[in-house]
Every structure is written in structure tokens, then in C-alpha cells.
Amino acid sequence: MKHYKFTFAIIISGLMIFSCKKSTVNPVEEELIIQDGSVVTFNKDIKPMFILKCSPCHAAGGDRNNKYVEYNTSKTLITGIIGRITKDVSDPLFMPKNGTKLNKTEMDLVNKWIKEGLLEK
């Protein structure tokens, strides 16, 4: 009986941890080259980049659709996106699959978007 209580406690603890809404995303680089004072937003800056960089592999339709062009999806999955785009190009989980890392300006845009609160518009 104690085993079930322990398992139940672990499950409840995990659910509580993962249900927190506060973002704990850390930008991958501290230095930003975007200094013009403009606010980075998903619709203006991130979505066009995700369309350009992600759509060649995540084409419309099927299970490889580009779900990252949706604000709520990208906001929710940003930690995983950061994890994939910062992997070594030889890693099978690296994105984008074409083997070209995002350049510094693109990474700075993502970082600034995160730092500014993942704004939509």
C-alpha cells in the first residue's frame, strides 16, 4: 500500500511542476546585437523566420506540418525549439534539418523575443 502512495505522490508532484505557467526559458546567448530599440514580436519577427527556416521540412499537411507558425504553439514549445536549434548539426534532432544553423541575428531575435516576454503582436 505504501508503494502506491509513493507513486501517487510522485505523479501529483510532477503534475504540479509541469502545470506552472511561469516561463523558465533562458535565452541561449546573453549578447544581443539588436540594439535599435524595437520590440521583437512573434508576428513581426519570429513567424516570418520560422516560415523561412522551418517550412521547407515542416511543409503544410501531414504530421510534418509547420506548427511553429502558430503563436501559441511556438510560445509553448520554445524551450524545445531552443534545444533543437542549438544542437550540433550532426545530431539527428538538430533543426533545421538542412544543416544550416540560425545565424547570430536570427538567434538574437529569438533571444530578444524570449527576454521581452514572448510577445505576439
Side-chain angles (χ1 to χ4, degrees), residues 2 7 10 15 21-22 27 42 44 49-50 56 63 83 91 101-102 109 114:
K2 288 183 181 181
T7 303
I10 295 294
L15 290 173
K21 297 219 181 229
K22 183 178 179 189
F42 180 77
K44 176 175 61 80
M49 179 176 52
F50 283 1
D63 58 340
D91 190 306
K101 282 191 171 269
L102 273 61
L109 275 173
I114 293 166

Side-chain angles (χ1 to χ4, degrees), residues 60-106:
D63 58 340
R64 294 182 58 86
N65 64 343
N66 191 355
K67 59 189 171 196
Y68 307 111
V69 299
E70 301 298 328
Y71 169 71
N72 287 327
T73 301
S74 288
K75 181 179 176 181
T76 301
L77 299 177
I78 192 62
T79 301
I81 293 169
I82 292 292
R84 301 279 302 268
I85 64 178
T86 57
K87 288 188 177 298
D88 187 82
V89 294
S90 64
D91 190 306
L93 296 177
F94 169 77
M95 287 192 314
K97 291 277 187 198
N98 66 8
T100 304
K101 282 191 171 269
L102 273 61
N103 64 39
K104 180 148 178 54
T105 302
E106 293 164 335

